[in-house]
Amino acid sequence: MKRLIIGLLDWLFPPLCAGCSQLVQGETFICTVCLTSFPETDAHQLVDNAITYHFAGKATITYGFALYSLRKKSHLEQVLFAMKYKNQPQTGEMLGQRYGNILNQISIIQRIDAIVAIPLHPKRFKERGYNQSDFFAQGLSASLNIPFYRSCIARIRYTPSQTTKNKVERMTNLQGAFQVTAPHLLTGKHLLLVDDILTTGATLSACTNALLAAGVAKVSVATIAVVEA
Ligand SMILES: [Zn+2]
């Protein structure tokens, strides 16, 4: 019955690819052409890479991973925008599964004890109805077979949009923004902290520093995309 209803809905409102707006088959949000054209970073193949470089002088991270390189006005940018603002968080889960299958190829990934996601401030969560990074974390957790710890860290300060701020302003703006709410679960663990997009690294650095200060042993970082310099 469910299949029949989905089939009927697909016929009435054919699903469009979030990247290129072409028709796609079934319950998917990204067409195969887009998916195979997104540039992968291969960051998992090097311990020092373009991702870890973003954190130099800001936070001590152990490993840094990002699935794709993000170019302005690309189909990938459209996909990530739809994931965040157009109620398509399932895209994040799908990309998390996809990245998990890639990260499973490296043995160091098994050193990670749990996955945590950058939280939204409750006010922003209410506006959006979901946290896109939770979906990415879920996808990674399922394919890596590493637990996803929800709600262990909270965003306690509402920070206005970061996009118009310079690097120093971004860091200052985020000081004291995160609070670890379940330190007993995280003490001594190696966590994989995930977010959707890595731009300057200010948000992930602030969260990493809060986690390390609360007794977390190591923090590694994974994002869906890193903005191309
Ligand atoms: Zn497409």
Side-chain angles (χ1 to χ4, degrees):
M1 188 63 184
K2 191 184 166 215
R3 286 181 75 116
L4 191 71
I5 293 170
I6 289 168
L8 186 66
L9 285 172
D10 278 0
W11 180 73
L12 286 170
F13 310 102
L16 300 179
C17 170
C20 66
S21 304
Q22 299 291 312
L23 291 174
V24 285
Q25 289 288 320
E27 294 174 86
T28 175
F29 293 95
I30 312 174
C31 76
T32 316
V33 177
C34 279
L35 210 47
T36 50
S37 71
F38 295 159
E40 292 183 4
T41 69
D42 293 329
H44 61 288
Q45 292 176 357
L46 290 168
V47 173
D48 291 316
N49 57 39
I51 317 308
T52 54
Y53 172 79
H54 274 77
F55 297 91
K58 288 186 244 171
T60 305
I61 65 157
T62 304
Y63 306 119
F65 310 108
L67 176 55
Y68 299 123
S69 264
L70 178 59
R71 289 182 198 136
K72 287 223 177 298
K73 306 206 188 305
S74 61
H75 286 161
L76 178 60
E77 190 178 52
Q78 296 285 329
V79 166
L80 297 178
F81 183 85
M83 179 188 76
K84 202 164 173 173
Y85 300 110
K86 291 186 174 173
N87 203 25
Q88 291 191 6
Q90 296 86 348
T91 312
E93 188 165 2
M94 179 194 150
L95 294 175
Q97 292 243 7
R98 196 175 173 88
Y99 203 15
N101 291 335
I102 294 172
L103 294 176
N104 263 328
Q105 296 164 11
I106 51 167
S107 58
I108 54 169
I109 205 72
Q110 293 308 326
R111 295 179 191 167
I112 288 163
D113 300 303
I115 299 169
V116 291
I118 291 279
L120 293 179
H121 187 273
K123 191 177 161 192
R124 191 156 284 157
F125 186 88
K126 213 174 161 191
E127 284 165 7
R128 198 172 294 167
Y130 60 90
N131 176 0
Q132 68 283 353
S133 298
D134 282 347
F135 282 78
F136 179 52
Q138 268 167 10
L140 279 172
S141 170
S143 52
L144 291 172
N145 204 21
I146 295 172
F148 167 35
Y149 288 176
R150 276 179 190 279
S151 315
C152 289
I153 184 153
R155 203 153 180 152
I156 52 170
R157 242 170 17 90
Y158 187 77
T159 45
S161 175
Q162 295 272 80
T163 46
T164 57
K165 294 186 165 53
N166 67 33
K167 282 183 189 178
V168 176
E169 284 171 338
R170 281 180 187 225
M171 287 301 285
T172 317
N173 193 29
L174 284 158
Q175 266 169 19
F178 296 99
Q179 187 179 48
V180 178
T181 52
H184 57 286
L185 279 177
L186 307 181
T187 307
K189 298 229 162 82
H190 182 168
L191 299 179
L192 183 66
L193 177 62
V194 308
D195 202 1
D196 52 350
I197 302 172
L198 172 61
T199 309
T200 62
T203 306
L204 282 158
S205 293
C207 198
T208 296
N209 290 332
L211 287 164
L212 292 172
V216 168
K218 289 177 180 175
V219 177
S220 292
V221 159
T223 61
I224 300 175
V226 56
V227 173
E228 250 181 29

